[in-house]
Amino acid sequence: MTTLTIDLPDNLVEEAGKAGLLAPDALEVLLREALRRLAVDDLFKVSNRLVAADFPPMTPGEIQQEVDAVRARRKQRARGA
């Protein structure tokens, strides 16, 4: 467990404390939710870039070839190749 010290405006600390948001469990929930939102935002950014790239559709066979190639590279790296 890590102890964190942060500087916040007094009025924010007072309001957050009254709302129960400064308890470790509440802060953990808030931080995890924020991280999830950031991850979703990143996913949409990547999705938008993929749409903009206008790649031709892939057949299921082509997709499987790509998956197999990635798996093969991972196996090679895991063996130290």
Side-chain angles (χ1 to χ4, degrees):
M1 191 70 66
T2 300
T3 299
L4 177 67
T5 303
I6 57 173
D7 294 318
L8 296 170
D10 293 337
N11 63 334
L12 178 60
V13 170
E14 185 178 334
E15 288 181 52
K18 286 179 184 176
L21 297 176
L22 297 180
D25 291 346
L27 285 171
E28 181 179 351
V29 168
L30 290 171
L31 290 172
R32 290 189 187 282
E33 287 175 358
L35 289 170
R36 245 188 315 274
R37 278 193 304 274
L38 290 173
V40 169
D41 288 347
D42 287 346
L43 181 62
F44 278 109
K45 287 176 189 172
V46 169
S47 174
N48 289 338
R49 287 198 331 253
L50 286 172
V51 168
D54 198 29
F55 290 113
M58 294 176 73
T59 66
E62 291 170 326
I63 293 169
Q64 189 61 54
Q65 285 177 334
E66 291 294 328
V67 169
D68 292 343
V70 168
R71 288 178 178 162
R73 285 193 298 271
R74 286 182 181 169
K75 282 183 184 178
Q76 285 178 337
R77 276 190 295 231
R79 284 185 251 157

